[in-house]
Amino acid sequence: MAACTSTPPSSLMLTSASSSVHPPQDLASSLVSFKAKLQISTIKSFSSSNFLCRSRRSPDWVFLNFQRRARQHVIVAAFAAEANVAEVEAEEEEGVAAAPTATAPKPKKGKAALPLKRDRRRSKRFLEIQKLRENKKEYDLTTAISLLKEMSSTKFIESAEAHFRLNIDPKYNDQQLRATVNLPKGTGQTVKVAVLTQGERFDEAKNAGADLVGGEDLIEQIKGGFMDFDKLIASPDMMPKVASLGKLLGPRGLMPNPKAGTVATNLPQAIAEFKQGKVEYRADKTGIVHLPFGKANFSEEDLLINLLAAIKSIETNKPSGAKGVYWRSAHICSSMGPSIRLNIRDMLDFKLPSSA
């Protein structure tokens, strides 16, 4: 069996315990050429089991002694190892020569220097007003509403919005949330109501303040692309005919639905509620409820009353399949302003002053 002796990286030496190295000129040998990855080595054989080899990268000779049936494998292994060493040395030399000189990056200026990527797309107005609140701080209701009014700085009157993340998964039927809430102080918007009915209820709907009243003629207008209304209320006897409008009204959120209060037998009451500030809300596919609760020019007291009415409605209509903690987070904001995080415990326990 052959023994291995370590040599410099440029050569590989295998010696036999029972043999000695002889000068190559004393041997009657035959010449065999072997080409590796990066160099050509020479092998001289002088018996069936003894070989003498030398690499072109080193003047040292390597003596090999092994069984005849294994000699090809040993030769290949020896020169493959040497080729690998040479390749590593060459890569190191190239790496040192090609190493680029480190250059200091240019300092960023303006919005590009902001640490948060989302802030780089914000307007200067937004970046200024968001300094009025702490990013992750939870505020009580009165402080949050005061900040909302202070942050409303656009040229038009912004809406006040509430966004509640709930611990529900709407893909299950018992965890879906869709309902309405009557905002005591109104929404601050003018709602245009259209009514689909027939017979004696035509005059009843007109007298209640409906902006548009019709039957099959109004259905044909809607099929033709007429959508000049904010709410569409239908009497129950018209629903079979309204079914053909599902593809047009469904994506716009205008399809009459009993849960939304837009399918009603008492048309005057339904019209009055939507005119006075009845708001429909539903949880989106991520379990978040978005709803407006007034305008930024409302008084703080009116905004607080509307917000508490919305919170109470969501709590009352809690889905039967909701388990564990129902409220995960709550935020309010103006239409063009940053969000303000609410303290959940304070929000649920808040009581209006007796003067309100």
Side-chain angles (χ1 to χ4, degrees), residues 17 19 25 54 69 83 90 102 125 134 148 159 177 202 205 213 228 230 240 253 258 263 273 283 291 313 318 324 332:
S19 302
Q25 57 270 22
R54 182 178 65 183
R69 60 185 179 183
R125 181 197 66 85
E134 296 181 28
L148 183 148
S159 295
L177 176 62
F202 265 84
V213 181
D228 190 19
D230 301 313
V263 177
E273 287 177 349
L291 61 89
S313 176
K318 179 179 179 180
I332 63 172

Side-chain angles (χ1 to χ4, degrees), residues 68-125:
R68 179 182 182 87
R69 60 185 179 183
R71 65 185 181 182
Q72 294 179 353
H73 300 288
V74 174
I75 293 171
V76 172
F79 288 105
E82 185 172 358
N84 188 34
V85 171
E87 184 178 0
V88 171
E89 290 179 350
E91 289 179 354
E92 291 178 353
E93 292 176 359
E94 292 177 0
V96 172
T101 56
T103 57
K106 295 181 179 179
K108 296 181 180 180
K109 299 179 181 180
K111 290 184 179 180
L114 296 174
L116 296 179
K117 189 175 181 179
R118 64 173 180 264
D119 287 342
R120 299 170 193 169
R121 300 189 296 269
R122 304 289 192 185
S123 65
K124 292 182 179 179
R125 181 197 66 85

Side-chain angles (χ1 to χ4, degrees), residues 6-236:
S6 61
T7 63
S10 61
S11 64
L12 177 68
M13 180 71 72
L14 296 176
T15 59
S16 172
S18 60
S19 302
S20 59
V21 179
H22 299 280
Q25 57 270 22
D26 296 340
L27 301 174
S29 60
S30 61
L31 183 63
V32 180
S33 295
F34 179 83
K35 186 175 183 180
K37 291 183 181 179
L38 299 178
Q39 70 269 345
I40 298 177
S41 299
T42 304
I43 303 173
K44 292 185 178 183
S45 61
F46 55 92
S47 71
S48 62
S49 60
N50 297 318
F51 283 82
L52 196 65
C53 55
R54 182 178 65 183
S55 169
R56 292 187 63 184
R57 292 176 57 87
S58 172
D60 299 329
W61 287 85
V62 181
F63 180 74
L64 306 175
N65 178 269
F66 44 82
Q67 297 296 327
R68 179 182 182 87
R69 60 185 179 183
R71 65 185 181 182
Q72 294 179 353
H73 300 288
V74 174
I75 293 171
V76 172
F79 288 105
E82 185 172 358
N84 188 34
V85 171
E87 184 178 0
V88 171
E89 290 179 350
E91 289 179 354
E92 291 178 353
E93 292 176 359
E94 292 177 0
V96 172
T101 56
T103 57
K106 295 181 179 179
K108 296 181 180 180
K109 299 179 181 180
K111 290 184 179 180
L114 296 174
L116 296 179
K117 189 175 181 179
R118 64 173 180 264
D119 287 342
R120 299 170 193 169
R121 300 189 296 269
R122 304 289 192 185
S123 65
K124 292 182 179 179
R125 181 197 66 85
F126 190 95
L127 295 176
E128 286 297 323
I129 62 175
Q130 75 171 354
K131 296 177 182 178
L132 299 175
R133 60 99 167 106
E134 296 181 28
N135 190 22
K136 296 184 179 180
K137 181 179 178 180
E138 295 182 346
Y139 292 88
D140 59 88
L141 289 185
T142 53
T143 306
I145 289 177
S146 298
L147 281 174
L148 183 148
K149 289 179 65 65
E150 188 178 356
M151 291 179 180
S152 178
S153 59
T154 57
K155 296 180 181 179
F156 62 92
I157 300 175
E158 301 178 47
S159 295
E161 303 173 359
H163 307 273
F164 305 107
R165 182 184 292 275
L166 307 176
N167 189 24
I168 58 175
D169 190 351
K171 71 179 181 181
Y172 300 106
N173 291 332
D174 60 348
Q175 296 189 41
Q176 294 178 355
L177 176 62
R178 183 175 183 178
T180 58
V181 56
N182 290 316
L183 299 178
K185 301 300 180 179
T187 60
Q189 299 175 346
T190 302
V191 181
K192 194 171 185 178
V193 178
V195 178
L196 284 172
T197 188
Q198 59 187 356
E200 299 177 354
R201 295 188 175 183
F202 265 84
D203 295 333
E204 185 181 359
K206 287 182 178 179
N207 296 332
D211 298 287
L212 294 170
V213 181
E216 295 182 3
D217 57 335
L218 183 55
I219 291 177
E220 292 300 324
Q221 291 181 31
I222 295 173
K223 287 182 179 179
F226 178 76
M227 294 288 174
D228 190 19
F229 50 85
D230 301 313
K231 289 292 178 182
L232 181 63
I233 301 175
S235 55

Side-chain angles (χ1 to χ4, degrees), residues 247-267:
K247 292 184 179 180
L248 293 172
L249 300 177
R252 294 175 172 83
L254 296 173
M255 187 68 181
N257 189 296
K259 291 184 178 179
T262 49
V263 177
T265 55
N266 190 344
L267 293 179

